[in-house]
Every structure is written in C-alpha cells, then in structure tokens.
Amino acid sequence: MTKYFAVVEGGGTKFNCAIVDRQKQIYVEHRVATTTPDETLNAVVAFFNSQKKLGYDFEKLGLGCFGPIDLNRQSSSFGSITSTPKPYWSDTRVAPILAEALDCQVEIDTDVNAAALAENLWGASKHAQVNIYITVGTGLGVGVVINGQPLHGLIHPEMGHMLVSGLDEIKGVCPFHGQCFEGMASGYAMSKIWQQAAETLPDDHVAWDIQAMVLGQLCHNIMIAFSPQSLVLGGGVMAKPGLLERSVYYAEKSLNNYIVFPENHGLEQIISKPGLGEHSGLLGALALVL
C-alpha cells in the first residue's frame, strides 16, 4: 500500500503544495498565492483536505518555509515565522496552524535548508560533506547542510542579510539592513531598484551585470566561510540565461586565486544550477519528513 506525504514549499510569492510518496513521485501539485497568512494557510488546508477525500491520506507534512523561523523545539513559538520583511507574516504560527487544521505531524525547516537537503540526497550536491543552496527568487535565502544535516545553530543561517560592499551607488531595499544581499539581489529588490520586474529587463541592461557582481560577492563569502564542495544557485531569477556563469566569473575575480582547489577542479565544478530543477523545494519538504 502506498504511503503518502503532504509537502509544502512556502515562498514569498506562492505556497507550492503536493502529495508525494517516498520514491519522490508527485501525484498532485497545487499552487496557492502568498497573500495574508489567513487567506494563504486556509487555502493550503482546503487543498490538502480535498486530497484526503480523494484517498490521498497522510500522517506527516513536510514544510520548507520562508523565514526567519523559530526552529527551537523547546520554544513556545516553535514553527513560527518571526521577524520577516514579508508584510503581515511576522509571528505567524505556520507549523502549529497546519498541524492542528490537518491533524498531522509537521516537520519544518527553512525553504532553503530543505532545498539544500534535497540536493544533498538526490540532486547536484550528492556526496558533499558541506553543501549550500542559494535561492534567488522573490526573496534571497541561503541554506546549509553539513554531513547530511541542515544547519540550525542559534536559529538558522540568514546569509541573505549579510551586507554587500562596494556598490554604494545602488540603494538596497531591505527594511532591516538596506544594502544586504536580499535587499540588493532578490527579485523583489530588482523590481524596486530598476522600477520594473526582473524578467522584463533587457539582456543588455546594466542590472544583470550588477546582479552578477552581487551574487559573485555572495559566492565569495560563502566559499571562504564554509568551503562547500557544492554550491547550488536556484530560484526564478537564476533562470536568466548566462547569470550563473557571469556570477561564477565575478566570484573567481573576487577570490583572486586565494583558494587552492583540488587538481582539475574549480568554481565551475562547485557552483551549479539545481539538480532537481524546480522541485528542490518540494522534495526538500519530503526530505524533512523522511
């Protein structure tokens, strides 16, 4: 008898919901717009309840969610989004709300930690002792997996809020830090800085070279801080042709031959697109429950 799991990739623009099995087969998939917490979570609950009626019953739900998130199981606010730039979502008890409404166990981590875990198990980061996943979408987040375990620490990595240097002529839009990577290079930031959506910017627009510079700086910082064997860049903004390669170029230029790589190995072998394509996040939620 097939055992089903509910999985959710909760992002700043949409909540991707699906029913999957442990072989990673996706039976049904549904997207809910990220609006207010009540509206979004009610729609998520309605979808999964409709799937239960169709025979896709489940006892566990995996949730990779935008954050920051309280991941301390001893905390009274465990499973809640804390102080987020996303309007209306601060202090939202995401995991407890879904667990109660759907009468199931919820395993939660950040969307990027979950995606990094999926890439480590099944994707581009297989066999890496240290692997990093960067998502450049509506927001910008960084997930870290070390020896097969997502990194938490005091809370969890928030490297999207490290500060960008050397680009003072561009005004970042993060309400907390201004010139941080999320405030400079997320899809939302690009739309505010350049006054049009990233996907509508022409190929030769200066925005793309600046975007590559910023992402190259982020990759520089991560390579120096964590020395990952695999660094995956995913998310909607990274679908731009040539952006990954240009980001690698700027990271190499910035590192300036400081890192001595193994023979026949370099940033081109370490920095890549997701091996799981658009499903890193959903399959990351599955990885959390498995």
Side-chain angles (χ1 to χ4, degrees):
M1 184 177 174
T2 303
K3 186 170 185 178
Y4 301 111
F5 301 95
V7 293
V8 179
E9 176 190 14
T13 300
K14 58 189 177 297
F15 271 51
N16 288 341
C17 308
I19 298 291
V20 300
D21 64 21
R22 65 174 59 247
Q23 280 73 44
K24 306 189 295 295
Q25 181 174 345
I26 298 172
Y27 291 86
V28 60
E29 194 172 348
H30 179 65
R31 293 185 175 184
V32 171
T34 307
T35 54
T36 64
D38 282 350
E39 191 173 45
T40 301
L41 296 179
N42 284 341
V44 170
V45 168
F47 165 72
F48 282 121
N49 277 332
S50 72
Q51 296 311 304
K52 284 185 176 184
K53 290 175 182 175
L54 294 173
Y56 293 118
D57 209 3
F58 56 87
E59 297 173 355
K60 295 182 179 180
L61 181 148
L63 171 61
C65 188
F66 75 90
I69 301 169
D70 185 348
L71 296 174
N72 177 4
R73 291 184 179 274
Q74 278 68 56
S75 170
S76 60
S77 58
F78 170 70
S80 299
I81 295 171
T82 57
S83 299
T84 178
K86 182 72 177 170
Y88 316 116
W89 283 82
S90 291
D91 304 314
T92 298
R93 300 172 62 253
V94 185
I97 286 170
L98 292 179
E100 183 176 345
L102 293 168
D103 190 25
C104 68
Q105 177 184 333
V106 174
E107 295 295 340
I108 185 173
D109 208 320
T110 64
D111 51 352
V112 279
N113 264 359
L117 184 59
E119 289 291 332
N120 180 263
L121 288 171
W122 306 302
S125 306
K126 275 192 288 192
H127 312 304
Q129 292 168 295
V130 179
N131 70 283
I132 311 277
Y133 185 97
I134 303 173
T135 186
V136 190
T138 306
L140 189 153
V142 184
V144 182
V145 168
I146 298 176
N147 294 325
Q149 295 296 319
L151 180 63
H152 292 166
L154 180 67
I155 44 169
H156 52 74
E158 277 292 325
M159 283 181 276
H161 292 270
M162 292 190 297
L163 300 179
V164 177
S165 63
L167 282 169
D168 294 338
E169 69 276 15
I170 307 293
K171 183 174 173 57
V173 302
C174 174
F176 291 92
H177 312 114
Q179 308 288 104
C180 65
F181 288 100
E182 176 158 288
M184 294 279 282
S186 66
Y188 174 79
M190 290 187 76
S191 71
K192 292 296 182 183
I193 291 167
W194 304 108
Q195 295 298 297
Q196 63 185 100
E199 61 268 23
T200 68
L201 291 165
D203 291 348
D204 60 353
H205 197 290
V206 67
W208 292 114
D209 203 48
I210 290 172
Q211 181 76 356
M213 286 184 201
V214 174
L215 293 177
Q217 190 177 135
L218 177 57
C219 291
H220 170 126
N221 292 350
I222 287 171
M223 290 304 302
I224 293 296
F226 289 93
S227 196
Q229 291 105 338
S230 174
L231 174 53
V232 172
L233 273 71
V237 175
M238 293 310 304
K240 182 67 177 177
L243 180 58
L244 179 78
E245 292 77 13
R246 196 75 179 147
S247 301
V248 171
Y249 164 79
Y250 278 116
E252 285 181 327
K253 187 177 178 181
S254 177
L255 286 167
N256 197 26
N257 296 316
Y258 180 73
I259 295 177
V260 178
F261 293 98
E263 194 173 351
N264 300 319
H265 208 72
L267 281 189
E268 297 92 342
Q269 286 76 41
I270 293 168
I271 301 176
S272 71
K273 292 186 177 179
L276 300 172
E278 295 180 353
H279 286 126
S280 301
L282 274 183
L283 294 178
L286 173 64
L288 294 178
V289 297
L290 295 182

